[in-house]
Amino acid sequence: MTTIDDFAAGFADEAGWFDFASFGPMGTGVVQEARALTELQSRSRHGSVVALDEQAGRARRAVAALTGFPTDHVVFQPSTSQGMLHTLFGLTGALALSPREYPTTPLTATRASSALRVLDTVWLDVPDDAVTPAVLREHLTPSVTAVAVSVVDYRTGYLADLEGIRQVIGDRLLIVDGIQGFGVVDAPWAVADVLVTGGQKWLRAGWGTGFMALSDRALTDLTPVFSGVHGSEITLGGSYERGAEPAPGAAAFQLSRPDPIAEARLATSLEEIAAVGIRPVAGAVAERATRLIDLADEFAVPVASSRVESERAGIVVLEPEPQHLTALTASLMNHGVSATVRSTSVRLSTHVSNGEDSFGLLREALMSYGSAIAY
């Protein structure tokens, strides 16, 4: 069993990186694995392709270990967007979702509705931008066949109550965008019918990595519209000379053969998380998020995201007075602190590799900001 300190030592990002909700610098183990397989691929010795072929199964097993989904219910995806594309274009009926979800989901739902005309959208009226069981209860009608939600809202950092949502929606499909929480949240993933996520943020596996996990019900109800050659029975020995049926299970939801090095990066990341355990990782991230809130309070920077630990993960949103946003942004930049700045807010996001040096830089930035607005 790996300790949380050993896990944190496996990352080499420089001090001041508080933007994991945008991109998580790859872990040392991930980089080493990719380098080794890249070298293997460049030499292409006899039999070397076997090691590359093994990465697909390795990635599925790693996903299954952290989600509880069977391996044949898991398929690699190069991004959350592609996984959501497979999901929503394969869905019929009416989908309930917030219009303020990350654009991937609303955009894909709109495209699917326009293109195939078998999917309707029910837009949620979401007070405080939090998709809660109570909000969903008010919008559910017999025509709603599925609900889509982000486990963590990308703007507010709000952590959804997946178990509560499942209880409210009954046997409707629950589609979860997990990218802002998977790897740092100890969530009940098995209550989802579809879980899609990318690996470039909290998993720190780099771009081009991700997965889609489906329940038995999802495999029955979703149509694999974009089932390409690698998602067809051709890979099982079917004929190349005519159209083939989709492959059985989750394998149908893929377009082409995935990059085996990307699969290896994802698998390495997930294996390292499994070795330490998701609860210690979630606890370490929660403790660092609390430190962010405490620092904001110390320098009187308003916190717009939830202070309740059960309603947040690794994201803390600061919302200074509008006339002070530029000063805060400049101070963070001048002190080497990376964050996401939007029109009215600054989003800080933290991971286990944020040590004292990172929090020291943030303290200096906030101190400088406080001095500037006081002056």
Side-chain angles (χ1 to χ4, degrees):
M1 194 72 175
T2 304
T3 68
I4 192 65
D5 290 337
D6 290 338
F7 179 68
F11 301 100
D13 41 300
E14 295 186 4
W17 188 265
F18 285 101
D19 206 13
F20 294 94
S22 293
F23 172 71
M26 290 192 296
T28 303
V30 170
V31 172
Q32 291 173 344
E33 186 76 359
R35 184 178 294 127
L37 286 178
T38 299
E39 178 66 20
L40 179 67
Q41 197 175 50
S42 70
R43 289 184 280 111
S44 297
R45 291 179 179 175
H46 176 70
S48 63
V49 71
V50 174
L52 298 174
D53 288 342
E54 291 173 344
Q55 300 310 313
R58 178 188 172 196
R60 289 195 299 272
R61 290 190 296 272
V63 172
L66 289 181
T67 64
F69 286 83
T71 54
D72 62 346
H73 286 48
V74 175
V75 62
F76 181 88
Q77 297 292 333
S79 66
T80 308
S81 295
Q82 187 158 307
M84 196 60 73
L85 187 84
H86 279 294
T87 302
L88 300 190
F89 269 78
L91 185 65
T92 60
L95 173 70
L97 73 162
S98 167
R100 294 177 66 78
E101 289 284 350
Y102 186 76
T104 288
T105 304
L107 180 69
T108 305
T110 302
R111 295 286 190 272
S113 178
S114 299
L116 303 181
R117 302 185 185 279
V118 295
L119 179 67
D120 295 322
T121 51
V122 176
W123 299 108
L124 303 177
D125 180 14
V126 187
D128 303 320
D129 294 330
V131 179
T132 65
V135 167
L136 280 166
R137 185 181 291 112
E138 295 177 358
H139 291 81
L140 294 179
T141 65
S143 65
V144 173
T145 56
V147 169
V149 65
S150 294
V151 67
V152 175
D153 187 274
Y154 79 106
R155 291 171 301 103
T156 67
Y158 178 77
L159 174 61
D161 177 6
L162 295 185
E163 288 184 324
I165 290 173
R166 166 51 72 199
Q167 291 176 8
V168 165
I169 70 173
D171 61 0
R172 297 173 175 86
L173 290 181
L174 176 56
I175 300 165
V176 177
D177 178 344
I179 196 167
Q180 290 295 1
F182 196 83
V184 291
V185 171
D186 184 17
W189 303 115
V191 304
D193 290 294
V194 181
L195 170 62
V196 294
T197 191
Q200 77 273 23
K201 299 180 188 286
W202 305 98
L203 292 180
R204 309 185 66 167
W207 278 289
T209 62
F211 67 85
M212 178 181 181
L214 303 101
S215 69
D216 288 335
R217 179 166 43 194
L219 287 174
T220 299
D221 291 355
L222 297 182
T223 302
V225 175
F226 296 105
S227 186
V229 172
H230 204 70
S232 75
E233 290 184 339
I234 289 176
T235 60
L236 303 177
S239 172
Y240 276 66
E241 298 179 0
R242 61 180 183 274
E245 291 295 315
F253 295 89
Q254 53 189 333
L255 297 174
S256 182
R257 177 173 178 167
D259 175 2
I261 296 178
E263 291 175 316
R265 285 191 278 120
L266 178 67
T268 300
S269 167
L270 298 175
E271 289 163 356
E272 290 180 347
I273 293 172
V276 66
I278 188 58
R279 289 186 178 179
V281 175
V285 171
E287 182 271 333
R288 285 161 173 77
T290 297
R291 290 189 65 178
L292 292 179
I293 294 172
D294 290 344
L295 275 173
D297 288 344
E298 182 179 345
F299 293 97
V301 184
V303 175
S305 52
S306 180
R307 294 172 177 270
V308 180
E309 188 169 320
S310 61
E311 296 180 350
R312 59 178 168 83
I315 294 174
V316 174
V317 181
L318 309 182
E319 197 167 279
E321 295 296 326
Q323 66 271 24
H324 297 156
L325 181 62
T326 299
L328 178 56
T329 302
S331 186
L332 292 172
M333 184 180 299
N334 291 340
H335 288 83
V337 175
S338 297
T340 293
V341 179
R342 293 198 167 90
S343 58
T344 61
S345 64
V346 172
R347 185 185 68 184
L348 299 172
S349 45
T350 183
H351 200 249
V352 298
S353 55
N354 285 140
E356 295 303 322
D357 48 358
S358 288
F359 283 98
L361 288 177
L362 180 58
R363 170 178 286 278
E364 292 173 3
L366 293 178
M367 186 179 299
S368 176
Y369 161 73
S371 299
I373 64 172
Y375 180 79

